[in-house]
Structure formats: C-alpha cells, structure tokens
Amino acid sequence: MLLLLVTGLALGAGAAGSLGAPGLVGELALASLAYLPVLACFAGLAVLAYGLGAPTWGVWVVLVASIVVGVYGPLLDLPQPLLDAAPFGLVPAVPEAPLEAAPLVGMAVVALALTAAGAAAFRRRDLVAT
C-alpha cells in the first residue's frame, strides 16, 4: 500500500510540475490506491500457493501474463473478452473515469477468500521441524 501511495505521489508531482496543477498530487495519489484490491488478489494467490505447498513461481507467471495482456493486449489485437477479464482492466481509470466500487469490492472479497484458503491449507500441511 505504501509503495502504491508513493508511486501515486510521484506521478502526481510530475504531472503537477508539467501541467502547473498542484491539485493533481493528492488526486493521483488517492487514485493509485484503486489498484490495492488487484495486488491483494495476487498476494492472496501467493498465500494459497504457499499454503498448498505448490511452487509460487506460478503466481509470477499469472502476474506477468496479466500485465502483458493489460498493456499490450490492444496492440496485439487480443479479443475483447480477454482484455475485459484481465485483472488490471477491472480497475476503473481513476481519476479520468468515475470510481466504481463494485469491481474493487469484488476483488477485495476474492483476495480475502484466497488468503483465508491459503491460511487454512497451510494449517493442514504436514510440516516437519528440523
């Protein structure tokens, strides 16, 4: 969360300096926090993978694929349903677009469910003390 906030502050400072609009600093800092539920979903997925004893590199593959689809999907002329399903595409383009809470709340619920399932799976693992 702190890194998202710092990134938004830096982006806002750059935009404010080039456009001469100091109000952009706070506006873009708060807008960057809209990505928190998406990052929480990836963290929850990592917790689940670790809890199940699965290799966590798969989470990195999903993260990189999501970024590639989100950034290069339109250039690669990928189908619109695939672009719509990309996790980063679910975040509204705040502050340009109005904030829609439904997708963010949905992603937060998914993140909580993944984290809870990962914690439960970790408790059931047969761990041996060395």
Side-chain angles (χ1 to χ4, degrees):
M1 182 168 130
L2 181 63
L3 188 57
L4 277 176
L5 192 59
V6 169
T7 303
L9 284 171
L11 181 63
S18 65
L19 298 175
L24 288 176
V25 175
E27 189 175 349
L28 290 177
L30 289 175
S32 68
L33 294 178
Y35 287 94
L36 188 59
V38 175
L39 297 179
C41 282
F42 283 108
L45 187 61
V47 169
L48 180 61
Y50 186 76
L52 293 173
T56 54
W57 60 265
V59 178
W60 286 102
V61 171
V62 173
L63 175 64
V64 170
S66 299
I67 292 171
V68 167
V69 168
V71 173
Y72 298 112
L75 293 173
L76 297 172
D77 200 27
L78 295 177
Q80 191 60 38
L82 181 62
L83 295 175
D84 292 339
F88 291 99
L90 298 174
V91 177
V94 182
E96 180 67 29
L99 180 65
E100 295 177 25
L104 300 179
V105 170
M107 285 185 283
V109 168
V110 168
L112 287 172
L114 287 170
T115 304
F122 184 74
R123 276 188 238 122
R124 282 191 229 117
R125 277 181 53 183
D126 185 21
L127 301 176
V128 177
T130 56

